[in-house]
Amino acid sequence: MRFPLPRFNVLIGALLIGLTVIAALVGLFAPPANPIAIDYTAFLAPPSPAHPFGTDDFGRDVLSRVLVGAAYSLVSAFGTVAVALLMGGTLGAIAGFFGGWVDRVIGILTDTLMAFPGLLLALALISIIGAGILPMIVTLGVSFSTIYIRVVRSLVLSLREREFVEASRAMGNSETFTIFRHILPNCISSIMVLATSTLAFAVLAESALSFLGLGVQAPNPSWGGMLADGRGLMGQAPWLVIFPGFAIFLALLGINLMGDALRDWLDPWMEGEA
Amino acid sequence: MNCSICDISDISICFGKAGVPVVDRANLQIAPGEFHAIVGESGSGKTMLARSILGLLPAGGRITGGKILFDGQDLTGLTSAAMRKVRGKKIGMIFQDPLTSLNPALRIGTQMGEALRLHSGMTREEARNHAWKLLDRVGIPDARRALDRYPHEFSGGMRQRIMIASTLLPRPQLLIADEPTTALDTIVQANVMEVLKETTAEFGISVLFISHDLGLVAHRADRVTVMDHGKIIEQGGYEDVLFAPEHDKTKALLAAIPQGQAKPEDSTQRDTLLEVRDAVVEFRGRRSLLWRKPAATRALDSVSLNLKRGETLAIIGASGSGKTTLGRAILGLTPLDSGTIRLNGVNISDLPRAEHRKRTRNLQIVFQDPVSALDPRMRVLDLVMESLRHNPELSRKVKETRTTEALRDCGLDDDLHQRLPHQLSGGQRQRVAIARALVARPEVIVLDEPVSALDVTVQEQVLRLLERLKKDHELSYIFISHDIGVVEDIADRVLIMVGGKIVEQGSAEKVFNTPRHDFTRKLISVLPELREVDGRFQLIYRDAGVARSG
Amino acid sequence: MFRYTIFRVLAAFPTLLLVTILVFLFIRLVPGDPAAVLVGDIQNIGRLEEIRARLGLDRSVPEQFVIWLGNILQGDFGVSILNGAPVLDTILSRFAVTAQVIFVAVTVSTLIAIPAGMIAAWKQNRWADNLIVVTTIAAMSVPSFWIGLTLILIFGIELGWLPSVGYVSPLEDFSRGVMYLIMPVTALVMGEIGGVLRMARASTIEVMRREYITHARSKGLSEGVVLARHAFPNAFAPTLTILGMIIGSLLGGAAVIETVFTLPGLGRLTIDAISSRDYPMVQGILLVVAVIYVVVNLITDLLYPIFDPRVKL
Amino acid sequence: MKHLPIVAALFGALAAPTFADTPRMGGTAKVALGADILGTQPGVVRESGTDTVLHHIFEGLVAYDATLEVQPMLAESWEISDDGKTYTFTLRDDVTFHNGQPLTSADVKWSWERWLDAELGWGCTHWYDGSEALKIEAIETPDDTTVVFRLNIPSGLFLAQMSNFQCLPAIAHPDSVDADGNWVAPIGTGPFTLGEWEKGVSVTLNKNPDYAPASGEKSGYAGQRIAYLDSVEFMVVPEPATAMAGLRAGDLHLMVNIGPLEETELGRAANVEVLTGPGLEWSTLLVNVHDPVMKDLDMRLAVAHAIDFEALAKATTRGAVGYNPASYSGQSVYHTDVQKTGYTRDLDKAAELLERAGYDGTPLKIQTSKRYGNMFQNAVIIQSMLAEAGIEAELEVLEWPAHLDNYFQGKFQLSSFGYSARTDPVMNYWSVVGPHEESPAYQWNNEDAYGMTFEAAAETDPAKRQEIFDKIHTMMIEEAPTLNLYDEVNAAAINTALNNYEIWPGGKPRLWGVWLEE
């Protein structure tokens, strides 16, 4: 039975991502309860009509924290990918297009970033910029940019040989014009595929950082943070872990499915077969 | 014909669910030892028909009707296991692009011995022996050591010979050759055809030869089948089909073979437009050691030429002769190591980019591969308009009208102007590339093998277009090509290049009729020419006299 | 090949130097210095200056860097501020633990991912492909510490088959040592397998479209032989680079897995050293990790021509 | 020293031993440690896990019992001269070191002189070198079983400091160091000897076969220390969730320093029992009196009146303890009604005070960290309480070293902090009161109060000490330089296979006098 994976996956992927975005919007603008309001009377209350997802160890409503957490996790994930794309994309394009010593210098920079632990970077940035979502985004963004540099560089190397790039040069266009007008637009499809997979890794990385005590600054909720904080209470308050865990799982499943389908769908087209 | 070893009756092949049949009720018989050619343009279904015999249709392709009898067996009904017994053992196949049809990661010996050991159960040693003997037979130097080398260490021609040897090793009864020489230079093409013809004749193997080049097939095929849009439109012995064609499509294919007379010496005085003096371009090899200067090879070795106004100068040479580097050097795409290029008297070889751009507005280029020459993301109109980008004095309105005019001038009607390149055919795309050069109102256009990637009939139309544009806009061309047939009736003067040097030059008529350099001579002799002499078609070699005649 | 290795080793020095400089600066940028951690809040508050002097932290940063680099070049990595243990020995013993887990995990995930990826490519869009793709995506969508803790809950507590805490090196006592590795390796494999599998599937799909695959089929070879002998070497080359990157990053220590499974690995050592501002230890670790990373990259590039002979070194 | 009354009512029976059945010899108990020990030389590089382990290998001359009263340990008895400046200790004659050598006064003198040597960097030299008035003039050994300490001034703290468990003046044998004085091996007199120490994994202590226990019932660190176990393995388990799983799986027998949430989590498992008891550590909200906003008394009092201290204590300790306004533990005999007077929440008064202080609404910054769970929980609850009183507050969650460093340098506006255990009110106040120029870490820069702490230190009569402490406390409540919250709860979880394990205010786990079932 032939089963058109790409189309089916895109459907589920889009559905899940849509769900996450809606959750984030509801969380930001109309949360059922104030996600950081502490209610001493309702400690670790199990799911009830008042608190559909129960309450956490400060008596805060888990449902609104999951919704707001969606916003934080998405913002931090998309922020990370944006930083990685901007930094990695441009450096990769420059390295690929100009080659020579520029390529070697960027190569050294990439190796250094790869060998550098994200943790130390996070700590240093927090002390400079101050705690909050920004250092998280910059840290993860910088460490993910190394993958973008590598991918974009190899893409640009292959595109540079294409004749329409030489035609652009023959018309007297400057190098930078040729990069931004002809080369980068043609990298977009594979960069999009890369972006979806790094998006998934960004959410996971954020939860790992929260596990190590460095996540999004309290008391703002992020999925990774909630999961990390609730890990010791799986017995008495499983809802603390189940709902954020499920939220991460569904969001990542959506992103990964979309990324996978995108690649299969874009792949044949990218070879420009008539 | 009763004793055919392969009898294809009423075969139809479809793609997808209710697609139009790619091959529509085709009938074809191949006698033992017969060299049968199927000729047709791309999309005519010839390759699909050939591949259906071995059940190697691409994803989505299905045989929807008819039978293929081979050696008494109906191949269409075989189970995959039974079909695998036929493949390689009874029917062998060789492919078009030698670059991608041999596995880059495996040694030649492993790839060749595979089929033989599978079907004959020989030991590795025996298979190797057979293999290198056959390699030697097809002309591979130092055949024994060649077994341990990798495909990328051989030239295109050599790789094709290896593939022929590897396919013939298990002694199949039928060899299917899917355009085996299209990707090769003319001379190499001829040599490979000879090897194929001799070896298959020697081993009594019948051949099903697929090609879009009638000239190549004309003097070698016993029987010819012509296909168009999935249907067989003509079939029979080579004399009937070639020398007394009935269907006008066959006639069109025959007409596409160059017939014209080479132009005589042009005595009219013309001023020189473009002058290249002692141009040298060196390519640095990889830096062997940090301190020693790497060995440099000269792609252009002090080349001089000049182009007169309104003249078409053809530059012909094998791949790697430096003709493309010369074309790119003229445009300034490849910097010269020494020597000068003058355009209308002005030296343009070492100007800064802004200055170079202003000075060379009347110098344009058209590239070979239409797929790679157009930015896949831009629409046709924007693609062509981009070349007016450096004319600030023109308003957007003026640019648009000029672009639309140029596109119409190149035979592209308005509904195509908003399309993306991948929505156009090869011919249409090349017309867009020409329009992009034309819109800048140049005086000189460098054409780097503009038609070699196109089908024969489309090639003809583009060449006629170029000639018309030259007359209408007083253009001069530098026409780079490896195919002498294409250049014959369009070039005024001809330059022959070998190893980065110009070895011969002169008017087209002088060079074609009285070639001096042996490369030129070989180039011309290899190319048969179908001439219509008093109503009858004759196949004539330039200096070797009549090859075949009706 | 030898010349290429020399060239690469020489080219690695600027990277190593840049890493050490950045680490030296960043760790001092982070607030809180080792003296405060050592003093804690019980002891005499006045002793901060005295301890700073003893640790040489009162000198200017560039001065400290020169001294430290000088020692490193003589092979002296210095001593941990926290417990006085020699830095290099601690790093190497902890690296041994991380290396064991990582190599077993990477080998297992490769042995599963490559064949699964190729089968998924071979049966593209059929149920087998969907099953493999969806399960790997599911595995990739769960944070690794969550997998870890769930494994402990199931195999540690409910079934009691595996020890949930502690660590015995398989080198000393193989049978017990293996018991301690099963869960961490499983958790790591579930985290990493997705990346490798996806790459294997994508490159196999791409390779299967090549002409030489149809040529191989035209020789009458079975689909299995075509996949294994013809498709695998060409598909494995790009996957090798992904593997190199994964091993490179993991060898720096999978901090989360090591914390959850009480493995005395490099990842946890890094976190403990950073959080206790143990400057010599942090600098030592990151230098060693950088060297490991460069070596892994070199090995990956040296292996590349085996699968793609066109690449000349 | 008067006998400290035990406030049993608060925790029910003081964690009576689980099963009173007959003790069983043998087996290995496994204890979870948050981090690996830092070394085997007591008191030099300090960390609570390391102290716990070393208390099984080394002993001091005297030790605290469960009621925090000083009891004899290696010293059988002691006399204090009339002028209170000479302490004469008589050693027990049945004590041997781990290397078989008998205990002599020379060993005591050698050990003390090593810890007091400024070069070594021992943790608490400042208690005995005069920098806090008290100075040991000389240590004499008239004969093998007598050691005499000569002090410069009489001190009510000397014995308390000698039995302190953060800086245990351990009695070690000179063979513990090599020729040029480097610490080589821990040769003490304790019930356990150092076995294998696998860095980053675990440290194992083996039973000392020829250990001679002191007289009297086991109580706190005093009394007899009988090792029923063959060995104790302290395993490094950084992740609490893993430790809890290990406890339930039986791979671990003891886990200490667990918070209220872990208590309820573990309480659910059949084979795990949770023991709680009063602790000596206490949580505070540090208020930086040098901060431009907080130097205004009205502002500090406004914050004090915005917080519902009782509710805060009940929330974080799940009802175990209540508000303790004083800077020392509610268990202390000096903790009377005076120390119970603090601040009661009054939002109107708070608003009025804010008005007077001219508070312009800029958010106050509360620093905290996550290493010690309650600090973080206090900060979160205080933030929301201040919000109710119209005071905007932002949390600054830092890493513990950064949070601690800011405490030392006084770089904070508000800081949710906590002090480790001290056993005498003077020691508590010495961490809070002090001249700011000497160290920004002192929260209360008040000469009178600082002078009074030294009076209390020298004073040996409890009634007079009580007067001084009452005066200090009342002044502190008026000036509100720092806001004390509550005494932290000591809680430990044991696997039911471990018998006769007890909790005591000192909090430090003791693996003698306990045995394993099966």
Side-chain angles (χ1 to χ4, degrees), chain A residues 1-5 8, chain C residues 123-130:
Chain A
M1 184 270 291
R2 283 185 61 68
F3 186 70
L5 180 68
F8 184 74
Chain C
K123 292 263 190 290
Q124 195 179 8
N125 292 348
R126 291 224 185 48
W127 61 269
D129 179 21
N130 303 348

Side-chain angles (χ1 to χ4, degrees), chain B residues 51 54 56 84 87-88 91 93 95-97 100-106 111 114-115 118-119 150 152 163 166 288-290, chain C residues 3-4 7 10 210-212 214-223 225 229-231 233-234 306-310 312-313:
Chain B
R51 294 198 171 197
L54 274 178
L56 288 172
R84 279 206 298 275
R87 288 185 188 154
I91 305 177
M93 190 163 182
F95 297 84
Q96 174 178 353
D97 183 350
T100 63
S101 45
L102 286 176
N103 190 326
L106 298 179
Q111 297 191 46
E114 233 173 5
L118 176 68
H119 294 299
Y150 288 94
H152 66 273
M163 191 140 73
S166 128
S288 54
L289 281 176
L290 284 184
Chain C
R3 196 160 15 87
Y4 176 76
F7 178 72
L10 288 179
R210 282 281 179 273
E211 196 93 303
Y212 55 80
T214 326
H215 182 200
R217 286 204 186 106
S218 75
K219 293 181 193 169
L221 301 173
S222 69
E223 212 43 24
V225 170
R229 189 185 301 162
H230 284 271
N234 295 288
I306 295 173
F307 296 99
D308 183 353
R310 283 168 295 187
K312 278 188 286 310
L313 291 186

Side-chain angles (χ1 to χ4, degrees), chain D residues 53-108:
Chain D
V53 171
L54 296 184
H55 270 285
H56 289 76
I57 299 174
F58 292 101
E59 291 163 330
L61 292 180
V62 286
Y64 273 120
D65 65 10
T67 64
L68 298 181
E69 192 170 333
V70 179
Q71 299 295 349
M73 197 57 197
L74 291 180
E76 231 167 27
S77 61
W78 61 86
E79 291 142 37
I80 307 171
S81 62
D82 298 341
D83 63 5
K85 290 205 277 184
T86 311
Y87 286 72
T88 313
F89 292 88
T90 317
L91 300 177
R92 283 174 29 211
D93 51 17
D94 59 351
V95 177
T96 55
F97 280 99
H98 292 162
N99 58 4
Q101 299 299 327
L103 168 69
T104 66
S105 56
D107 304 321
V108 174

Side-chain angles (χ1 to χ4, degrees), chain A:
Chain A
M1 184 270 291
R2 283 185 61 68
F3 186 70
L5 180 68
R7 260 195 306 288
F8 184 74
N9 276 14
V10 175
L11 223 60
I12 302 184
L15 189 72
L16 291 175
I17 292 177
L19 216 63
T20 317
V21 171
I22 292 166
L25 292 176
V26 167
L28 282 179
F29 300 110
N34 175 348
I36 50 173
I38 292 173
D39 171 4
Y40 321 125
T41 57
F43 265 124
L44 292 178
S48 62
H51 298 289
F53 280 8
T55 63
D56 68 6
D57 49 353
F58 286 97
R60 294 174 294 199
D61 176 48
V62 174
L63 172 60
S64 6
R65 285 176 69 77
V66 167
L67 295 176
V68 172
Y72 271 91
S73 294
L74 284 184
V75 164
S76 80
F78 277 96
T80 307
V81 170
V83 168
L85 190 57
L86 263 171
M87 181 174 162
T90 7
L91 283 180
I94 294 166
F97 193 78
F98 293 103
W101 61 271
V102 173
D103 191 7
R104 254 195 298 285
V105 165
I106 292 181
I108 290 174
L109 183 68
T110 322
D111 285 346
T112 319
L113 281 182
M114 278 272 189
F116 200 86
L119 186 65
L120 189 59
L121 195 61
L123 278 174
L125 285 178
I126 286 174
S127 60
I128 301 168
I129 309 173
I133 206 163
L134 199 56
M136 160 82 68
I137 289 182
V138 171
T139 318
L140 292 178
V142 166
S143 39
F144 279 125
S145 63
T146 48
I147 306 169
Y148 281 78
I149 293 178
R150 280 258 162 81
V151 168
V152 170
R153 177 174 172 279
S154 59
L155 268 174
V156 166
L157 278 180
S158 63
L159 282 172
R160 200 173 57 154
E161 308 311 323
R162 297 284 289 273
E163 281 166 357
F164 67 84
V165 172
E166 286 204 280
S168 164
R169 272 213 218 99
M171 289 181 222
N173 294 329
S174 68
E175 306 286 352
T176 34
F177 176 82
T178 309
I179 290 184
F180 286 102
R181 187 72 187 80
H182 289 292
I183 292 200
L184 280 186
N186 281 292
C187 304
I188 286 176
S189 40
S190 29
I191 287 182
M192 265 197 312
V193 172
L194 185 62
T196 43
S197 47
T198 36
L199 206 60
F201 284 124
V203 176
L204 286 178
E206 189 264 326
S207 71
L209 277 178
S210 309
F211 174 81
L212 299 174
L214 276 164
V216 168
Q217 280 321 310
N220 308 321
S222 85
W223 286 341
M226 291 169 72
L227 212 54
D229 297 344
R231 65 182 187 271
L233 313 170
M234 284 196 197
Q236 64 187 306
W239 56 85
L240 279 185
V241 173
I242 291 174
F243 293 112
F246 231 7
I248 288 189
F249 177 69
L250 292 180
L252 291 192
L253 195 62
I255 294 169
N256 282 327
L257 285 177
M258 188 66 125
D260 233 35
L262 211 57
R263 182 179 352 83
D264 283 358
W265 177 63
L266 282 176
D267 207 4
W269 187 81
M270 268 193 298
E271 286 179 12
E273 273 146 10

Side-chain angles (χ1 to χ4, degrees), chain C residues 124-148:
Chain C
Q124 195 179 8
N125 292 348
R126 291 224 185 48
W127 61 269
D129 179 21
N130 303 348
L131 189 68
I132 292 173
V133 165
V134 173
T135 28
T136 42
I137 288 179
M140 278 169 67
S141 309
V142 182
S144 53
F145 67 84
W146 210 65
I147 301 174

